[in-house]
Amino acid sequence: MRAYLIAIALLLAIFGSLGGYLYLQQMAIANADYSEPPVTVASAISKAERWDGYLDAVGSIRAVRGVDLTSETAGEITAVNFDSGDEAEAGAVLMVLNDEVEQAARLNEIATLELAEILYERDRKLIEQQSIPETQFDQSRADLARARAQLAETEARIRNKRIHAPFAGTLGIRRVELGDYVSPGTVIATLQDKSELEIDFTVPARFAPRLAPGQPIELTVPAFPDKIFRAQLAALDSRVDPNTRNILLRARLIEHEGLLPGMFATLKLLVERNAEVITVPETAVTYSLQGDIVYVVEEAEGGKLTAVSRVVQVGDVRDGRVAISEGLNAGEEIVTVGQNKLYRGVTIVIDESVVL
């Protein structure tokens, strides 16, 4: 009997110890902190700065005076008076087409005009003497006018057989040769006056009230990546394109040494000086298709810190800082490093050793 009591006592002690251990373990599990550990990030304070306001645009450079030289009539080329790359004077004859038929017609019409002038002078004297009827004199006067008109028409056709330089400039690659047959509209060469260059470009119509002729422009071209050229806004179009809602602008280049018509250029148009903007480090902005985001540091319950995403409107980027036009105020603390680890409700710890 005593052995049974001892055995029961041992069993109770064993199961009691096991139960106590399990109870303590469950209490430890229940009281454990399963919250996510805080995320370490770097931060910076948004600043109010004064920047000159620019509009960015792109365009192609063109000559103020630049044309494709073409023929107004068809014919065989009988003379070519220029080479590719030549400098042409205004009015210079660059090319001549076969005009033998027109020259022959001109000689015939000169003879007809001379006869018409003789008959007119004779009839004019006779009509003063009242020796011929009025109708005969009218016929002589009409024949004279017709002969003059026919000669003028032939001489105009002869002039069309000659291609003149409409202004002084540089000729491009010659596209025809002696003996070629050209049709109306055939391009012979280009003529560009490189002494005056301009550039057309467009900007959104909402900026039109801030634009006026005379505003300075800086432009760069891929051919001279380290050089900035100066230009000046010359004119604004009188209407907005209804399809794109953009307005066409034209700028006149002030500095253009080495530039050629047709070059692609990137422009920066000054629209406002010393405009106040809110800026943050460039690393603070997270770009996405849904919108550009910055994470603002805010205080959570218990004095802890959290990061809240905020959609902002991004502007210019200069010297590693981004202008924020909407969505952020000066003096707010924003996350600059570690945004990829952030999520809603996260607790953060700021690493003071990172300075931006």
Side-chain angles (χ1 to χ4, degrees), residues 13 17 47 127 144 156 165 171 181 204 211 213 218 226 262-263 284 307 314:
S17 299
K47 298 179 182 178
I127 196 66
L144 177 60
L171 291 159
Y181 183 89
L211 303 174
E218 295 179 351
D226 299 324
M263 281 185 171
V314 175

Side-chain angles (χ1 to χ4, degrees), residues 145-156:
R146 184 180 302 108
R148 287 173 175 170
Q150 288 175 343
L151 178 59
E153 179 182 351
T154 300
E155 288 179 340

Side-chain angles (χ1 to χ4, degrees), residues 18-346:
L18 182 59
Y21 171 77
L22 293 174
Y23 174 76
L24 292 174
Q25 189 177 43
Q26 289 296 326
M27 290 298 294
I29 293 174
N31 294 326
D33 184 4
Y34 288 99
S35 61
E36 292 286 345
V39 174
T40 301
V41 298
S43 69
I45 304 299
S46 59
K47 298 179 182 178
E49 300 186 46
R50 289 195 173 274
W51 286 5
D52 290 340
Y54 290 93
L55 285 179
D56 293 325
V58 295
S60 294
I61 298 170
R62 60 187 297 270
V64 174
R65 291 177 295 276
V67 294
D68 286 337
L69 298 172
T70 61
S71 172
E72 294 184 25
T73 185
E76 179 188 355
I77 299 174
T78 57
V80 178
N81 302 326
F82 72 96
D83 287 322
S84 301
D86 281 356
E87 296 292 329
E89 297 293 332
V93 178
L94 304 176
M95 190 183 77
V96 179
L97 299 182
N98 188 329
D99 60 356
E100 291 181 358
V101 174
E102 288 79 6
Q103 292 289 359
R106 179 176 177 274
L107 294 176
N108 181 51
E109 286 159 3
I110 289 175
T112 302
L113 176 60
E114 290 175 349
L115 176 60
E117 289 174 340
I118 293 171
L119 295 176
Y120 172 78
E121 286 298 324
R122 185 193 65 184
D123 288 350
R124 184 180 62 80
K125 293 177 181 178
L126 291 175
I127 196 66
E128 291 175 354
Q129 300 171 3
Q130 297 183 348
S131 300
I132 59 173
E134 187 77 24
T135 55
Q136 182 176 336
F137 177 67
D138 291 342
Q139 182 65 47
S140 297
R141 183 168 53 189
D143 290 343
L144 177 60
R146 184 180 302 108
R148 287 173 175 170
Q150 288 175 343
L151 178 59
E153 179 182 351
T154 300
E155 288 179 340
R157 287 201 300 269
I158 292 173
R159 286 194 298 271
N160 283 344
K161 295 286 186 174
R162 287 159 171 76
I163 310 302
H164 297 80
F167 50 82
T170 304
L171 291 159
I173 300 299
R174 191 174 74 188
R175 305 184 190 180
V176 294
E177 297 297 338
L178 184 67
D180 285 350
Y181 183 89
V182 296
S183 302
T186 300
V187 176
I188 298 164
T190 62
L191 178 65
Q192 304 289 331
D193 179 4
K194 296 185 289 185
S195 64
E196 291 186 81
L197 301 180
E198 61 188 12
I199 184 168
D200 290 348
F201 59 100
T202 60
V203 299
R206 66 179 182 273
F207 295 111
R210 302 166 64 184
L211 303 174
Q215 287 174 302
I217 297 174
E218 295 179 351
L219 68 150
T220 57
V221 297
F224 302 94
D226 299 324
K227 187 173 181 180
I228 296 177
F229 297 89
R230 293 189 304 119
Q232 193 174 66
L233 185 61
L236 291 76
D237 202 357
S238 58
R239 74 180 186 99
V240 173
D241 188 328
N243 297 317
T244 63
R245 303 303 174 188
N246 291 337
I247 185 170
L248 178 65
L249 308 179
R250 175 167 292 172
R252 192 67 57 86
L253 273 72
I254 300 172
E255 298 174 350
H256 52 76
E257 184 178 357
L259 298 181
L260 295 175
M263 281 185 171
F264 175 82
T266 302
L267 301 92
K268 292 180 73 68
L269 170 62
L270 178 65
V271 294
E272 189 175 8
R273 291 193 179 277
N274 294 323
E276 185 171 326
V277 294
I278 308 301
T279 69
V280 299
E282 192 173 0
T283 58
V285 181
T286 301
Y287 299 94
S288 68
L289 295 176
Q290 292 72 30
D292 301 325
I293 296 172
V294 298
Y295 287 90
V296 182
V297 177
E298 295 183 357
E299 188 172 339
E301 295 182 2
K304 297 180 179 180
L305 297 178
T306 187
V308 179
S309 64
R310 190 183 297 177
V311 177
V312 294
Q313 187 71 38
V314 175
D316 290 343
V317 179
R318 300 179 193 174
D319 300 325
R321 296 190 69 84
V322 182
I324 305 296
S325 57
E326 294 181 14
L328 194 65
N329 297 317
E332 291 192 274
E333 189 172 9
I334 43 91
V335 176
T336 57
V337 177
Q339 296 96 320
N340 60 322
K341 298 179 288 185
L342 300 179
Y343 53 89
R344 185 187 297 273
V346 65

